């Protein structure tokens, strides 16, 4: 039973063309996270929501935005993707801060 | 930004052999250490969340130890099986900052 679902699993977009990645959860967790992982690097936190409270990491590019319209869904918007934004994007949830995180399978983004 | 190091980067182990690898992290202001297993094409899965110095946790053939004073954790796998092939990620958190800072992982391949 999928608990954190990410769609699509693979996304191809063109340079500069806005793209949205989606994440949904059936766990009713308070916290949702977006990570970016580039090849052979550590997953890097972009931002997270504690309920409706949005927390942006200081080094997350302005090009990246997020929306959380309700508890279950969270979206990652990339306004003008560059070639450097090609990566695996992971969504995760946790019941509360400091607790273990539950990950989705990720969306692999390719920018052409 | 926490400096998290995992070694080795990759490891090939014969089926049936036991193995271990290391996660090192800054010991100051430590709160918890997370271990995750990430199999190819699947979601990262939480293995352990450890907080106490000297703690040892076990899940089947996998166990982990924690030394918060010197800033390291070992993950052990006893009697490796092909299904243990995965990337193992560690991530510490600090007091006042629940953000996971991941290492680059140890990629384990079990040779049948």
């Amino acid at each position: 039973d999928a608990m954190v679902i990410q769609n699509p699993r693979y996304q191809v977009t063109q340079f500069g063309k806005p793209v949205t990645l989606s994440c949904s959860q059936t766990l009713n967790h308070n916290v949702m996270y977006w990570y970016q992982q580039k090849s052979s690097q550590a997953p890097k936190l972009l931002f997270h929501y504690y309920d409706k409270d949005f927390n942006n990491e200081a080094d997350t590019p302005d090009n990246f935005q997020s929306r959380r319209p309700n508890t279950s869904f969270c979206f990652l918007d990339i306004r003008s993707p560059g070639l450097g934004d090609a990566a695996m994007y992971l969504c995760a949830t946790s019941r509360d801060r400091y607790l273990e995180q539950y990950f989705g399978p990720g969306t692999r983004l390719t920018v052409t | 930004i926490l400096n998290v190091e995992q070694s080795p980067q990759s490891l090939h182990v014969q089926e049936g052999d036991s193995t271990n690898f290391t996660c090192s992290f800054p010991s100051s202001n430590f709160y918890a250490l997370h271990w995750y297993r990430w199999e190819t094409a699947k979601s990262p899965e939480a293995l352990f969340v450890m907080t106490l110095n000297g703690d040892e946790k076990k899940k089947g053939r996998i166990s982990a130890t924690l030394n918060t004073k010197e800033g390291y954790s070992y993950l052990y796998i006893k009697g490796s099986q092909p299904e243990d092939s995965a990337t193992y990620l560690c991530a510490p958190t600090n007091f006042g900052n629940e953000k996971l800072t991941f290492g680059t992982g140890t990629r384990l391949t079990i040779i049948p």
Side-chain angles (χ1 to χ4, degrees), chain A residues 34-36 44-47 55-57 60 64 76 89:
Chain A
W34 279 105
Y35 292 89
Q36 177 194 61
K44 177 176 167 296
L45 183 66
L46 295 172
F47 22 61
N55 298 271
N56 196 34
E57 292 300 303
T60 298
F64 288 75
L76 169 60
Y89 291 88

Side-chain angles (χ1 to χ4, degrees), chain A residues 88-100:
Chain A
M88 172 72 82
Y89 291 88
L90 290 164
C91 173
T93 73
S94 65
R95 186 165 47 84
D96 207 335
R97 291 184 167 126
Y98 294 102
L99 300 181
E100 66 182 280

